C-alpha cells in the first residue's frame, strides 16, 4: 500500500483514524464518526452525516399540510406522535383555530406514552452500549405494551401519523383509557427494576460518572436540548417554557441536574419516565368528550411565517413554516433536536477512551434519521 | 468406589501385549486424541446451548426452542451452518498467520483439557506439575488472539487483540497467585494429589478465609482470562464490532467461539479441582449416613455438577454486568487484586507455618 | 425585556433595521453587513443576553435568499428573530455567527449544503448531508436534476 502524507503524519504522532460507522453496532443507525485514536484514547471525532438524508424538507414543499405530516414520522421515528403534533400545532396556530379539549388531552397522553416508549428503548440500548445486554430485553418487554396501545388506537406501532392538522385522524379506541391506566400501573412496578438492574451497579457507575462532562455554557451554545441538555442544568423543557396542548393543565417537574456527565444525563431520563407517568395519571381519567377533528374547509395557513416549538423525547423540535397562502408550504424547516445534540460529541468525548465514546454517544440518545432528515 | 484406573490399566496392558510398544503407544495416543476431540466438540456445543438457555432465562425469553426438543440440537445445526459457510480471505491480510491463529487458540484449549482429572484414574495425563502445565498452556491461547488481531489487517481487530493481550498478561498473575495459595496448602502441583489432599474436606472449607479470598479472586481473574463476562473488552461488540475475530468467518470463527467456551470450562474445571474437591463427593463431618449416600453418586457426576455450578456463576456475571473499560480493568488487577492476592499468600504461608490449617 | 423595549433597543442599535412580517416573535430585518455586529451585541449585552440560537434557517424567496436567526435568552426568556435578505441571488453571502453560537456552525453548513448560501469566515464550510461532488443546491426553487418529479 502506498503511504500518503497524512499516513506518515499520523504515524509520527502514533495516531490513527478509525471510522465508526456508517455500519457499526453502537451508532444505532447510519452515522459515521471519523475518530482519531492514540492508543485507546480519542483525540478528536468528526461526525459525518447524510447517509440517510431523504430531503424531507424538499419533499414537503410539494405536499399539502395533511400529507406532509406523514413524513415527519420518519424523522425521529421514536417520537412520531410528537413530531406529528408539532406540525399540527404550527398549522393550527397559523390558521388561528383551536382544537377541542379532547384532542388536546389525547395528544398529550400520546406524546407522553411516546416519550416513555422512547426512553425505554434508549435505556435498553444504553445498557447494551455499555455491554449489559440484558437491559435490552427488559426495556423492550415494557415498550411492547405501549406499542400495543398505539396499535389499537392508531393502527400502527411505530409510524402512526395519527395527529394531523385540525385534530386526530380518528377517535381513540374505546379501550384506550383502560389500557393506558393498566399500563401506568404495570410500569410503576417495573420501573424500579430498571434501577436495580443498571443504575446501582458499581461497574455502570464507574463507567458513566464523570465521563463526557458538558458544561452549561456548551450545552446552550451548541443548542443541546432535551434530557441531554437538562443533565447540564439547561432549563430547556418546552413543555415548561412555552406550554402547548394540555401541558398548561398538568403539574410536573422539569428534571435538571448540574453535573452534566453521562450518569446524570441517564438519571434525567430515568426520572423523566416517572414524570411522564404522573402526567398520564393526571390526564387519563378526565379526557373530556368532544369532536376529534375540526371541520376545516381547507388546510391553508395564511401568507406568513410561523414557528412552533415542541419537546420531543430528545429535545426541542422546531417547525418553521413559510407559507405563501397556498395548500403547500413555500418552505418548511425542521429544527430537529438530534441535529444539534450530535455535534457536541467532539467537545465532550475527546480525551476519553474509545469505550467512553460509545457511552457518551449513547447518553446523547441520537436517532440518526432525525439528524439527516 | 468408582475407580477408573483398573479399566485404563487393563486397556493399556492389553494394547502392550497385542502390539509392539511403538504401536501400542501410537494407538493409545490416537484413541485418546479422538476421545478428547469428541468430548471437546460435544461439550463445546452444549456449553453454547447452556449459555443461550441461561441468558434467555435471565432476559425473560425462551432461547432456542425449535430444533429438537427444547432446542437441544440448535447448536449442532449452527455448527453445520458454520462448517458450510464461505471462508472469506482478507486482502492485504497476512494469510499464513491469519489461518494459523484460530488453530493456536483451539489447540491450546484442547491441550489444557488433557490433564484435567474427571474422576479417579480418568485423566489423560497426570503430570507432576499439572497446575503449572495448565497455566502455561491456557495462556498460550492469547498468542493466537494477538496473531488473529494483527493478521486481520483491521484496526478494530488490532485494538481488540491489544486489549486482550494486556488483559491476559495482567490477569494471568492473579490466576497464578490464587492457585499458588492452594498449591501451598496441598503441597503439590500434581492435580491428583491436590484432590487426594481434599479427601477430608475441600480446600474452600478447610482453607480458612484466605481460601475463600483466593477462590473469589480466581473466579474474577479466570473470567477475565477467558475474555468473557464484564471483561469481554477484546470483543466488545458495541465498541469494536467483534474485536479480534471481526474478520473471521465460517469454521474459523467457530474455532474462536468454541475455544472461548472451552476456556471457560477449563477455568471452571480447575476451580473445581483445586477449591471444590474435584470429583470428590460432598461430605459432612461425622454424618456418615449422608456421606454414604453421597458416595454412591459417581465422581464424574460430582465433577461436572461442580464445574457446571462455576460455569453458571460466570454466565451469571456476563448477563448482568456492564462491561469494564480498559483502564478500569487494569486498575482492578494491578491496584486491587494483585496486592490482595499477595497479602493473602503471605497469610496462607503463615497459617501453614504455624500448622493452623487442617 | 418586553417587545416594545426590545424594538426601541434594536432601533437604537441598528437604525436600518426594519420590523419583519412575523407576528409571533419580534422580528427585524438587518442589513447583511451589520448582522455579525448586531448578533454580537444581542448576545453580549446584559439587557438582552441572547445566548441560545435555537434555529437558523435559509429561505429561497422572491426577493433573494433569507437567513433567519431565531434567538432566545435562557435567563431572561425573550425571543427575537433576525432576518437577513441577500438580494444577490447569484452569490449570496453573509458573515458567520458560528463564533458566537457553536450551534450556528452546523446550521450554517446545512444552509450552505442545501441552499448554497456562503457564510464568510466560517471555520469549516463543507457540505453536510450531500456528497462533496453534488452539483447544485436542492432547496433552491430553481433546482432541477434528472430525477426531479414534476407535478
Amino acid at each position: 500500500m502506498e503511504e500518503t502524507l497524512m499516513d506518515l503524519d499520523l504515524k509520527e504522532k502514533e495516531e490513527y483514524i478509525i471510522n465508526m460507522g456508517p455500519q457499526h453496532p453502537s451508532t444505532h443507525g447510519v452515522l459515521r464518526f471519523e475518530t482519531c485514536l492514540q492508543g485507546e484514547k480519542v483525540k478528536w471525532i468528526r461526525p459525518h452525516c447524510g447517509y440517510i438524508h431523504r430531503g424531507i424538507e424538499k419533499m414537503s414543499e410539494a405536499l399539502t399540510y395533511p400529507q406532509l405530516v406523514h413524513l415527519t414520522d420518519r424523522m425521529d421515528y421514536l417520537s412520531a406522535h410528537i413530531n406529528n403534533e408539532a406540525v399540527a400545532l404550527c398549522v393550527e396556530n397559523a390558521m388561528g383555530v383551536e382544537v377541542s379539549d379532547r384532542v388536546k388531552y389525547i395528544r398529550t397522553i400520546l406524546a407522553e406514552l411516546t416519550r416513555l416508549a422512547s426512553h425505554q428503548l434508549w435505556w435498553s440500548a444504553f445498557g447494551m452500549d455499555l455491554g449489559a445486554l440484558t437491559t435490552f430485553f427488559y426495556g423492550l418487554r415494557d415498550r411492547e405494551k405501549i406499542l400495543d396501545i398505539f396499535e389499537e388506537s392508531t393502527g400502527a406501532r411505530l409510524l402512526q401519523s395519527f395527529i394531523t392538522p385540525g385534530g386526530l385522524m380518528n377517535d381513540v379506541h374505546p379501550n384506550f383509557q383502560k389500557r393506558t391506566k393498566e399500563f401506568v400501573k404495570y410500569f410503576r412496578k417495573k420501573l424500579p427494576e430498571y434501577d436495580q438492574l443498571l443504575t446501582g451497579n458499581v461497574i455502570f457507575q464507574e463507567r458513566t460518572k464523570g465521563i463526557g462532562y458538558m458544561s452549561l455554557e456548551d450545552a446552550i451554545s451548541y443548542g443541546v436540548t432535551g434530557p441531554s441538555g437538562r443533565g447540564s442544568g439547561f432549563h430547556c423543557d418546552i413543555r415548561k417554557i412555552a406550554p402547548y396542548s394540555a401541558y398548561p393543565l398538568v403539574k410536573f417537574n422539569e428534571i435538571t441536574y448540574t453535573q452534566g456527565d453521562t450518569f446524570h444525563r441517564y438519571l434525567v431520563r430515568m426520572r423523566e419516565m416517572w414524570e411522564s407517568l404522573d402526567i398520564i395519571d393526571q390526564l387519563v381519567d378526565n379526557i373530556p368528550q368532544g369532536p376529534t377533528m375540526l371541520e376545516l374547509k381547507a388546510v391553508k395557513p395564511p401568507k406568513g411565517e410561523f414557528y412552533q416549538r415542541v419537546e420531543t423525547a430528545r429535545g426541542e423540535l422546531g417547525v418553521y413554516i413559510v407559507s405563501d397562502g397556498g395548500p403547500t408550504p413555500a418552505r418548511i424547516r425542521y429544527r430537529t433536536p438530534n441535529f444539534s445534540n450530535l455535534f457536541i460529541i467532539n467537545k465532550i468525548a475527546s480525551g476519553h477512551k474509545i469505550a467512553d465514546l460509545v457511552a457518551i454517544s449513547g447518553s446523547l440518545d441520537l436517532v440518526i434519521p432525525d439528524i439527516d432528515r | 468406589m468408582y475407580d477408573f484406573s483398573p479399566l485404563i490399566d487393563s486397556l493399556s496392558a492389553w494394547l502392550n501385549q497385542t502390539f509392539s510398544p511403538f504401536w501400542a503407544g501410537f494407538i493409545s495416543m490416537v484413541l485418546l486424541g479422538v476421545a478428547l476431540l469428541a468430548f471437546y466438540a460435544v461439550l463445546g456445543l452444549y456449553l453454547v446451548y447452556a449459555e443461550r438457555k441461561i441468558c434467555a432465562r435471565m432476559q425473560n425469553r425462551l432461547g432456542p426452542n425449535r430444533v429438537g426438543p427444547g432446542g437441544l440440537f440448535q447448536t449442532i445445526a449452527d455448527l453445520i451452518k458454520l462448517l458450510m459457510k464461505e471462508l472469506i480471505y482478507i486482502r492485504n491480510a497476512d494469510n499464513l498467520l491469519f489461518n494459523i491463529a484460530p488453530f493456536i487458540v483451539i489447540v491450546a484449549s484442547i491441550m489444557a483439557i488433557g490433564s484435567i482429572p474427571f474422576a479417579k484414574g480418568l485423566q489423560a495425563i497426570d503430570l507432576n506439575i499439572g497446575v503449572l502445565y495448565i497455566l502455561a498452556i491456557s495462556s498460550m491461547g492469547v498468542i493466537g488472539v494477538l496473531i488473529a488481531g494483527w493478521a486481520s489487517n483491521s484496526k478494530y481487530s488490532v485494538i481488540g487483540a491489544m486489549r486482550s493481550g494486556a488483559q491476559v498478561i495482567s490477569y494471568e498473575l492473579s490466576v497464578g497467585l490464587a492457585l499458588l495459595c492452594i498449591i501451598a496448602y496441598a503441597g503439590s502441583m500434581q492435580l491428583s494429589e491436590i484432590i487426594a489432599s481434599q479427601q477430608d474436606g475441600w480446600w474452600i472449607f478447610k482453607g480458612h478465609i484466605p481460601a475463600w479470598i483466593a477462590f473469589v479472586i480466581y473466579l474474577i481473574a479466570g473470567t477475565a482470562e477467558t475474555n468473557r463476562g464484564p471483561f469481554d473488552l477484546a470483543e466488545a461488540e458495541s465498541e469494536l464490532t467483534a474485536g479480534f475475530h471481526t474478520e473471521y468467518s465460517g469454521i474459523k470463527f467457530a474455532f474462536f467461539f468454541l475455544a472461548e467456551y472451552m476456556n471457560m470450562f477449563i477455568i471452571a474445571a480447575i476451580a473445581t479441582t483445586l477449591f471444590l474437591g474435584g470429583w470428590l463427593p460432598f461430605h459432612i463431618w461425622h454424618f456418615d449416613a449422608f456421606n454414604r449416600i453421597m458416595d454412591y453418586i459417581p465422581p464424574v457426576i460430582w465433577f461436572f455438577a461442580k464445574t457446571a455450578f462455576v460455569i453458571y456463576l460466570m454466565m451469571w456475571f456476563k448477563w448482568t454486568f456492564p462491561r469494564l473499560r480498559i483502564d478500569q480493568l487494569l486498575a482492578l488487577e494491578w491496584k486491587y487484586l494483585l496486592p490482595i492476592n499477595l497479602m493473602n499468600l503471605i497469610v496462607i504461608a503463615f497459617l501453614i507455618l504455624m500448622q493452623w490449617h487442617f | 425585556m418586553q417587545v416594545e423595549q426590545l424594538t426601541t433597543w434594536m432601533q437604537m442599535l441598528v437604525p436600518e433595521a426594519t420590523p419583519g412580517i412575523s407576528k409571533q416573535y419580534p422580528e427585524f430585518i438587518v442589513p447583511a453587513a451589520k448582522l455579525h455586529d448586531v448578533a454580537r451585541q444581542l448576545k453580549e449585552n446584559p439587557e438582552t443576553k441572547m445566548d441560545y440560537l435555537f434555529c437558523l434557517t435559509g429561505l429561497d424567496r422572491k426577493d433573494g435568499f433569507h437567513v433567519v436567526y431565531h434567538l432566545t435568552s435562557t435567563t431572561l426568556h425573550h425571543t427575537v428573530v433576525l432576518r437577513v435578505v441577500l438580494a444577490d441571488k447569484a452569490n449570496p453571502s453573509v458573515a458567520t455567527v458560528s463564533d458566537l453560537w457553536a450551534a450556528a456552525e452546523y446550521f450554517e453548513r446545512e444552509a450552505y449544503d442545501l441552499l448554497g448560501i456562503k457564510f464568510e469566515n466560517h471555520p469549516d464550510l463543507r457540505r453536510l448531508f450531500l456528497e462533496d461532488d453534488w452539483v447544485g443546491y436542492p432547496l433552491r426553487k430553481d433546482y432541477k436534476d434528472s430525477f426531479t418529479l414534476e407535478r
Side-chain angles (χ1 to χ4, degrees):
Chain A
M1 260 196 325
E2 218 173 293
E3 274 182 316
T4 60
L5 220 60
M6 191 176 172
D7 284 340
L8 283 172
D9 184 42
L10 290 171
K11 228 178 223 174
E12 260 168 36
K13 293 190 208 146
E14 297 190 335
E15 288 169 3
Y16 59 104
I17 287 176
I18 191 163
N19 278 308
M20 292 181 83
Q23 301 294 334
H24 188 272
S26 75
T27 53
H28 307 301
V30 277
L31 177 70
R32 176 156 68 97
F33 287 132
E34 188 186 347
T35 314
C36 178
L37 294 176
Q38 193 176 33
E40 285 264 342
K41 207 163 151 198
V42 176
K43 295 282 280 187
W44 47 256
I45 303 143
R46 217 179 275 154
H48 291 263
C49 33
Y51 289 93
I52 190 164
H53 179 65
R54 293 146 296 174
I56 284 180
E57 289 174 7
K58 181 74 179 172
M59 275 196 273
S60 299
E61 288 175 10
L63 298 174
T64 65
Y65 292 97
Q67 283 174 336
L68 65 84
V69 164
H70 299 268
L71 292 182
T72 61
D73 286 11
R74 275 84 179 162
M75 299 193 311
D76 182 353
Y77 51 82
L78 296 175
S79 344
H81 275 308
I82 310 178
N83 293 353
N84 298 162
E85 193 184 1
V87 178
L89 282 169
C90 194
V91 175
E92 283 155 14
N93 285 352
M95 294 170 66
V97 294
E98 200 179 346
V99 292
S100 68
D101 278 351
R102 182 179 178 76
V103 174
K104 285 184 182 174
Y105 273 62
I106 292 173
R107 279 182 181 178
T108 310
I109 294 172
L110 286 176
E112 289 309 314
L113 284 175
T114 311
R115 197 181 311 280
L116 276 172
S118 166
H119 283 356
Q120 282 166 352
L121 186 69
W122 159 81
W123 181 78
S124 321
F126 187 54
M128 224 165 63
D129 284 344
L130 293 172
L133 288 122
T134 303
T135 62
F136 196 76
F137 296 91
Y138 277 64
L140 287 199
R141 174 194 65 191
D142 300 336
R143 181 167 175 263
E144 209 63 8
K145 300 228 180 313
I146 296 181
L147 296 190
D148 285 345
I149 297 174
F150 286 164
E151 189 181 7
E152 198 175 48
S153 279
T154 70
R157 292 166 70 84
L158 192 67
L159 309 172
Q160 294 96 350
S161 303
F162 188 58
I163 299 169
T164 186
L168 307 170
M169 288 280 181
N170 275 307
D171 204 346
V172 287
H173 195 273
N175 277 347
F176 178 72
Q177 250 166 313
K178 191 177 121 254
R179 292 192 67 168
T180 309
K181 272 192 274 188
E182 272 171 15
F183 168 76
V184 172
K185 210 172 143 216
Y186 163 84
F187 194 52
R188 274 184 194 283
K189 278 214 248 24
K190 292 292 177 188
L191 200 45
E193 265 186 22
Y194 287 26
D195 285 333
Q196 285 164 15
L197 186 60
L198 204 58
T199 316
N201 191 305
V202 184
I203 300 176
F204 174 75
Q205 296 205 357
E206 282 286 313
R207 281 291 306 275
T208 51
K209 273 190 180 162
I211 300 299
Y213 172 70
M214 189 200 305
S215 69
L216 175 60
E217 288 73 32
D218 281 344
I220 295 173
S221 177
Y222 277 87
V224 179
T225 51
S228 313
R230 288 197 281 278
S232 301
F234 181 13
H235 290 270
C236 55
D237 196 335
I238 309 297
R239 296 176 294 171
K240 284 278 184 198
I241 299 172
Y244 53 94
S245 288
Y247 287 113
L249 309 170
V250 292
K251 272 204 208 137
F252 67 99
N253 299 318
E254 182 183 0
I255 314 291
T256 51
Y257 284 97
T258 47
Q259 286 88 336
D261 57 3
T262 304
F263 184 64
H264 287 90
R265 288 194 283 276
Y266 168 88
L267 280 188
V268 169
R269 290 195 180 86
M270 294 308 276
R271 280 182 59 196
E272 245 178 34
M273 285 203 251
W274 287 105
E275 297 298 326
S276 290
L277 289 173
D278 281 348
I279 294 173
I280 296 171
D281 259 351
Q282 291 171 47
L283 293 174
V284 72
D285 277 327
N286 3 317
I287 301 177
Q289 291 303 315
T292 52
M293 189 69 191
L294 291 174
E295 307 239 332
L296 300 169
K297 282 211 184 77
V299 187
K300 269 190 198 173
K303 194 167 164 23
E305 304 191 351
F306 311 95
Y307 195 90
Q308 175 69 43
R309 305 162 78 180
V310 298
E311 178 79 12
T312 75
R314 284 167 187 74
E316 174 184 339
L317 172 67
V319 177
Y320 183 30
I321 292 178
V322 180
S323 168
D324 285 339
T328 63
R331 164 96 161 93
I332 189 159
R333 156 104 166 109
Y334 299 109
R335 179 255 189 247
T336 50
N338 290 298
F339 180 83
S340 303
N341 290 3
L342 163 70
F343 292 102
I344 199 163
I345 194 148
N346 180 29
K347 186 133 193 164
I348 63 178
S350 303
H352 286 298
K353 301 276 184 305
I354 188 167
D356 293 330
L357 169 63
V358 175
I360 291 167
S361 74
S363 79
L364 293 175
D365 191 11
L366 301 170
V367 167
I368 314 307
D370 196 37
I371 296 168
D372 289 353
R373 303 194 291 287
Chain B
M1 191 165 172
Y2 295 92
D3 193 346
F4 285 87
S5 42
L7 181 76
I8 306 288
D9 288 343
S10 61
L11 193 67
S12 70
W14 177 78
L15 278 173
N16 277 320
Q17 278 170 9
T18 329
F19 302 100
S20 66
F22 171 77
W23 283 109
F26 183 78
I27 289 170
S28 65
M29 271 184 211
V30 169
L31 280 177
L32 209 61
V34 169
L36 274 181
L37 266 180
F39 170 75
Y40 186 94
V42 172
L43 192 68
L45 288 180
Y46 280 92
L47 277 176
V48 177
Y49 173 74
E51 162 117 70
R52 290 177 67 176
K53 273 293 190 193
I54 287 170
C55 101
R57 185 86 199 98
M58 289 186 181
Q59 296 173 343
N60 285 309
R61 51 194 183 89
L62 292 170
N65 63 348
R66 294 301 163 97
V67 189
L72 217 52
F73 303 135
Q74 178 66 52
T75 42
I76 294 174
D78 284 349
L79 184 76
I80 293 169
K81 183 202 77 176
L82 282 171
L83 274 170
M84 292 196 296
K85 273 192 129 178
E86 185 194 353
L87 293 171
I88 295 165
Y89 290 90
I90 316 296
R91 191 183 304 154
N92 292 331
D94 190 330
N95 260 323
L96 176 70
L97 294 179
F98 186 76
N99 292 330
I100 281 179
F103 291 98
I104 293 181
V105 172
I106 205 156
V107 163
S109 62
I110 294 183
M111 280 168 82
I113 278 195
S115 70
I116 288 170
F118 296 101
K120 193 170 173 128
L122 202 62
Q123 188 176 9
I125 179 162
D126 189 11
L127 290 168
N128 56 353
I129 47 160
V131 179
L132 186 68
Y133 166 77
I134 287 179
L135 275 179
I137 287 295
S138 63
S139 57
M140 252 175 59
V142 71
I143 294 173
V145 169
L146 279 171
I147 289 177
W150 174 254
S152 295
N153 193 24
S154 153
K155 287 167 182 171
Y156 287 123
S157 302
V158 170
I159 300 178
M162 290 302 153
R163 280 181 179 188
S164 181
Q167 185 180 335
V168 172
I169 287 167
S170 320
Y171 278 84
E172 195 69 36
L173 277 171
S174 272
V175 171
L177 283 172
L179 294 183
L180 210 55
C181 296
I182 301 303
I183 292 168
Y185 271 137
S188 167
M189 272 196 174
Q190 195 168 1
L191 287 167
S192 57
E193 275 196 18
I194 291 173
I195 291 175
S197 72
Q198 301 180 73
Q199 205 60 262
D200 52 347
W202 306 349
W203 279 120
I204 196 157
F205 295 133
K206 61 179 188 174
H208 304 286
I209 294 166
W212 277 96
I213 296 174
F215 181 62
V216 171
I217 289 177
Y218 176 76
L219 264 190
I220 296 173
T223 316
E225 222 195 43
T226 50
N227 288 335
R228 267 186 66 82
F231 311 106
D232 54 347
L233 293 108
E235 46 204 280
E237 75 287 324
S238 60
E239 297 148 30
L240 307 177
T241 59
F244 63 88
H245 56 60
T246 306
E247 307 290 346
Y248 282 88
S249 64
I251 195 66
K252 285 187 206 154
F253 165 74
F255 278 179
F256 283 116
F257 198 64
L258 273 183
E260 180 191 324
Y261 284 90
M262 289 320 288
N263 283 335
M264 182 167 73
F265 173 78
I266 292 162
I267 292 289
I270 296 174
T272 305
T273 309
L274 268 73
F275 293 93
L276 304 178
W279 41 263
L280 290 169
F282 179 67
H283 282 175
I284 298 173
W285 195 255
H286 292 314
F287 209 165
D288 287 337
F290 176 78
N291 294 350
R292 200 65 59 77
I293 296 168
M294 289 294 122
D295 283 342
Y296 273 102
I297 302 172
V300 178
I301 290 187
W302 274 112
F303 178 82
F304 279 104
K306 289 173 194 174
T307 312
F309 170 72
V310 178
I311 288 175
Y312 176 75
L313 280 182
M314 287 163 76
M315 287 180 179
W316 194 358
F317 293 158
K318 168 153 183 165
W319 295 107
T320 43
F321 286 149
R323 184 182 306 121
L324 272 89
R325 206 169 57 212
I326 181 75
D327 56 326
Q328 291 167 346
L329 179 93
L330 297 180
L332 175 70
E333 161 67 16
W334 294 102
K335 289 189 187 160
Y336 301 100
L337 294 186
L338 190 64
I340 293 173
N341 225 334
L342 286 169
M343 287 306 294
N344 199 30
L345 194 58
I346 292 170
V347 171
I348 286 179
F350 185 70
L351 283 177
I352 294 167
L353 195 68
M354 304 302 284
Q355 297 283 321
W356 284 346
H357 70 295
F358 301 109
Chain C
M1 211 190 275
Q2 294 303 307
V3 176
E4 296 81 32
Q5 275 177 293
L6 204 62
T7 314
T8 47
W9 193 86
M10 276 296 289
Q11 264 153 9
M12 248 166 53
L13 188 70
V14 255
E16 306 95 309
T18 48
I21 47 168
S22 166
K23 309 269 178 308
Q24 204 173 2
Y25 300 118
E27 184 184 314
F28 304 96
I29 299 172
V30 180
K34 297 202 82 173
L35 173 85
H36 190 269
D37 193 34
V38 175
R40 193 172 48 75
Q41 296 262 15
L42 279 172
K43 188 192 176 202
E44 285 168 4
N45 195 304
E47 279 181 70
T48 49
K49 278 198 201 157
M50 299 286 183
D51 51 358
Y52 175 29
L53 174 84
F54 64 90
C55 193
L56 190 155
T57 312
L59 305 174
D60 183 6
R61 306 296 285 161
K62 288 199 183 65
D63 56 341
F65 288 104
H66 294 197
V67 183
V68 186
Y69 302 81
H70 285 76
L71 296 170
T72 191
S73 166
T74 54
T75 44
L76 305 170
H77 302 293
H78 50 211
T79 307
V80 73
V81 178
L82 299 183
R83 180 185 293 266
V84 179
V85 179
L86 308 169
D88 179 11
K89 274 207 159 190
N91 189 19
S93 132
V94 65
T96 178
V97 291
S98 58
D99 50 336
L100 301 173
W101 298 283
E105 183 178 340
Y106 305 99
F107 286 142
E108 284 173 355
R109 270 181 72 182
E110 189 192 346
Y112 168 72
D113 187 6
L114 301 177
L115 278 154
I117 300 168
K118 299 216 167 40
F119 293 90
E120 292 149 24
N121 305 327
H122 189 284
D124 185 25
L125 198 63
R126 288 177 295 127
R127 284 197 181 264
L128 186 62
F129 295 144
L130 305 177
E131 293 101 88
D132 291 339
D133 54 354
W134 190 276
V135 181
Y137 301 100
L139 272 182
R140 287 188 177 179
K141 293 289 176 198
D142 56 358
Y143 177 74
K144 285 262 186 314
D145 64 21
S146 53
F147 44 86
T148 305
L149 189 66
E150 294 291 340
R151 278 175 195 264

